[in-house]
Amino acid sequence: MIDPFPFNWFQIVKLFWMDGYGPYVWTAWGVAGAGLAIVLAHVLIDSERTRRDLDRIRRELAPNGQPEPPPKGN
Amino acid sequence: MHALANPGRFLRLTAIVVPVAFATAAIAIATGTIWGLFLSPPDYLQGDSVRIMYVHVPSAWMSLLAYAAMAVASAANLIWRHPVAGLYARAAAVPGLVFTGIALLTGSIWGKPMWGTWWAWGDARLTSMLVLFFIYLGYLALWSAAGDVSRAMHRAAILCLVGAINLPIVKFSVDWWSTLHQPASVFRVGGPTIHASMLGPLAVMAIGFVAFFVATSLTGARTHIRRARIRNLRARSQREGTAT
């Protein structure tokens, strides 16, 4: 017969509860994770938007609609 | 540093560095998270609350390192008139501000179970870190307030260098004033006092945070350089439109 509770749930809860310090630890790590995620999203979205703007403006200003290739690395 | 003053060269070099830094950050932070949360031992006095250290301490180090990088870039901008240096300082301020915020919040969360209080105004380390947070905010506000980029860059660079006086105050506050915050236990004369089983995950998280800062600040600087190119193209187009 298959055991419907293969894990010792008490051990898992204990691992996350951390003798009462769990809520503090998880909140602190959550704050740090959220902070890093915000910075990451901000720089990546801003970077992509600016790159598209630059491409669009280069296309608009090119005499035949074909912009000259951007410098390498850009 | 002078070689990086050329925007084209800066973009070429950072196109290689940024993906490497992002990959390093992802691997180190993932490893440090598992190691710090589940594999490292609890402290004999602080118990499992010590696991907050693995995000709090690297964030606090990064808040100082980011500001130091901004100060060096601002000095280069003022002395040699390198616009890329000024744009890099602006880009480094965003992750620097967030790292300072993380250090303040996680420190407060750690302080409640250990000190019995979320905040202590009499503590020099806490107060000087809060001052650093406001300096970051002021720096970014100055950039936004001054309409012209070159003027904003110049004024923000001066503010950044003046604000750098706070860095040694933050670093040595725990030595100069004996308050709630514990003295340095890693970067100190005589070596670290922290056990190797905790130093390992702390070092890995610190490497991850440094790589994250390098990746995000350089990506931000690349964005600011592109934005400057957009401004130049628009200005040139307007000039040509006026001339014809």
Side-chain angles (χ1 to χ4, degrees):
Chain A
M1 188 174 160
I2 298 166
D3 181 5
F5 301 105
F7 305 110
N8 184 341
W9 293 104
F10 179 72
Q11 286 297 326
I12 292 172
V13 170
K14 197 167 174 266
L15 182 73
F16 282 87
W17 181 245
M18 296 179 180
D19 290 330
Y21 292 123
Y24 295 104
V25 173
W26 295 111
T27 308
W29 277 74
V31 165
L36 296 189
I38 288 168
V39 173
L40 189 62
H42 169 74
V43 296
L44 291 182
I45 292 169
D46 207 22
S47 167
E48 186 56 25
R49 192 180 293 154
T50 312
R51 198 179 58 78
R52 281 185 189 173
D53 281 352
L54 184 58
D55 286 349
R56 184 174 48 79
I57 287 165
R58 277 186 176 139
R59 260 198 311 275
E60 283 171 7
L61 296 180
N64 55 358
Q66 289 294 315
E68 54 189 80
K72 210 178 167 188
N74 191 18
Chain B
M1 190 185 284
H2 292 293
L4 290 172
N6 180 307
R9 199 175 294 149
F10 182 88
L11 287 174
R12 277 194 300 277
L13 182 73
T14 54
I16 300 163
V17 174
V18 165
V20 174
F22 268 128
T24 309
I27 293 166
I29 291 173
T31 309
T33 300
I34 294 164
W35 197 353
L37 278 176
F38 300 109
L39 304 178
S40 69
D43 184 69
Y44 80 107
L45 271 179
Q46 303 189 41
D48 280 304
S49 77
V50 78
R51 298 184 198 285
I52 298 173
M53 173 180 74
Y54 304 122
V55 285
H56 170 71
V57 172
S59 302
W61 287 342
M62 287 317 302
S63 64
L64 297 180
L65 189 72
Y67 200 91
M70 283 167 61
V72 170
S74 296
N77 175 246
L78 285 175
I79 297 165
W80 295 297
R81 303 277 172 198
H82 289 334
V84 174
L87 294 175
Y88 177 77
R90 166 67 182 79
V94 174
L97 173 75
V98 173
F99 277 125
T100 313
I102 292 172
L104 284 168
L105 285 172
T106 55
S108 180
I109 293 166
W110 197 6
K112 182 61 181 167
M114 288 301 106
W115 299 339
T117 181
W118 299 101
W119 187 264
W121 284 108
D123 189 280
R125 172 59 68 83
L126 269 63
T127 313
S128 55
M129 276 297 280
L130 187 64
V131 169
L132 182 65
F133 184 77
F134 286 128
I135 292 172
Y136 271 117
L137 279 181
Y139 177 86
L140 288 169
L142 192 58
W143 260 96
S144 304
D148 179 54
V149 172
S150 59
R151 197 184 305 148
M153 200 184 288
H154 185 78
R155 289 176 182 176
I158 292 169
L159 173 68
C160 181
L161 289 178
V162 172
I165 192 84
N166 192 40
L167 292 189
I169 296 174
V170 174
K171 172 75 183 85
F172 297 111
S173 55
V174 286
D175 302 320
W176 293 341
W177 298 283
S178 178
T179 49
L180 274 176
H181 205 283
Q182 67 172 62
S185 52
V186 178
F187 295 116
R188 60 185 285 281
V189 180
T193 54
I194 186 170
H195 194 264
S197 60
M198 294 176 181
L199 195 58
L202 184 63
V204 170
M205 284 300 278
I207 290 166
F209 277 31
V210 169
F212 183 85
F213 169 71
V214 169
T216 50
S217 61
L218 289 179
T219 305
R222 289 169 62 82
T223 302
H224 286 293
I225 290 171
R226 287 196 185 113
R227 213 167 268 153
R229 284 187 171 168
I230 290 172
R231 278 193 300 273
N232 290 343
L233 282 171
R234 280 195 178 131
R236 200 175 73 187
S237 134
Q238 275 175 357
R239 274 199 308 274
E240 284 169 0
T242 316
T244 51

